[in-house]
Amino acid sequence: MNLDSKQFKTLSNDLRRIAPLIPLRWGHIQNNRYDDELKKYCNIFAVFSKDELENSIASFDLDHKNYYRRRWYILRCSDCDEYLFYKNEGVEHNPDRFDKRWDIRIGKIIEFDVKGTVIPRPFISSYEDVILDPSTIIKFYYDKQSRGIRYDMQNRLFIVHHSLIDSNRELYLRCAWETKDRVFKKFVENADSINFFSYGGCTASVIFIVETTLNNLESKISGLDTNLVTI
């Protein structure tokens, strides 16, 4: 979904408002079967509001509904993340939403598929080590990605959300738009100075958005920042 500034403002505010209504767990791993079942009711990639989604999924059972609610929410958060990159000068948004190779192109430097995510459960206890060196979770993200139509290998920019207060605050961190706006601008302006990671023939980068104390956020652009910083 290609957003303009007005659409971003409406959508980002709505996502923040409805965060408490969105399931924190998928219930199922992302799967082709559930996605295919929804296609005859709506195109989830084009559904702008939660009300529109709820009308489309009304006939499904609760298990399906919760899956679709989270899937829709993560998709729309990704749209907002991408907007906060391509609003910057010199950043292009891929006009072909079916092209899995890249979401944003930063000047002539690099193309990235943008992925909003969290620190994987096996690494939570060692989160400090992960933030210091995210190479282990980069490998995990690529190796453990869903198979089927979602499986692909391309350059990826991982936006990793982590709360030291409560892991259930993930969705609030995904909506930290003001913080993300500043951090993503910094990333774009310094893209030619960032030491990117390599894995499986792909180039990867990681931005951490970390809640260190309640409602206080810090960030780290791996390969540029040495520690978490307040933006």
Side-chain angles (χ1 to χ4, degrees), residues 27 29 41 43 83 101 131 143 146 185 187 198 214 218-219:
I29 191 169
Y41 295 91
N43 175 6
Y83 170 82
R101 295 173 301 165
I131 294 173
D143 290 350
S146 300
K185 180 178 177 63
F187 184 96
S198 296
L214 187 63
E218 296 185 2
S219 69

Side-chain angles (χ1 to χ4, degrees), residues 94-213:
N94 193 337
D96 182 1
R97 68 179 180 85
F98 296 106
D99 183 358
K100 297 170 64 177
R101 295 173 301 165
W102 62 282
D103 295 317
I104 59 168
R105 175 186 289 141
I106 303 175
K108 297 182 180 179
I109 301 169
I110 192 72
E111 295 174 349
F112 280 119
D113 177 46
V114 180
K115 296 288 186 185
T117 188
V118 296
I119 294 178
R121 190 172 300 174
F123 300 92
I124 292 293
S125 61
S126 58
Y127 74 89
E128 291 176 313
D129 294 332
V130 166
I131 294 173
L132 181 66
D133 178 9
S135 56
T136 53
I137 62 169
I138 290 172
K139 181 179 185 300
F140 183 95
Y141 292 142
Y142 277 108
D143 290 350
K144 301 299 183 180
Q145 64 180 304
S146 300
R147 299 296 172 174
I149 61 173
R150 286 188 185 80
Y151 181 85
D152 210 345
M153 294 292 289
Q154 70 275 89
N155 296 347
R156 288 184 181 163
L157 170 52
F158 298 101
I159 313 300
V160 182
H161 310 84
H162 184 65
S163 174
L164 304 185
I165 308 305
D166 183 351
S167 61
N168 291 334
R169 289 177 60 79
E170 168 204 337
L171 298 184
Y172 291 99
L173 298 188
R174 287 182 183 266
C175 296
W177 308 121
E178 291 82 5
T179 296
K180 286 184 169 184
D181 191 13
R182 296 190 291 270
V183 177
F184 294 178
K185 180 178 177 63
K186 176 182 173 181
F187 184 96
V188 169
E189 291 177 342
N190 293 276
D192 57 353
S193 302
I194 298 171
N195 293 317
F196 298 127
F197 296 83
S198 296
Y199 184 74
C202 300
T203 298
S205 191
V206 181
I207 297 175
F208 289 98
I209 305 293
V210 180
E211 185 180 40
T212 52
T213 58

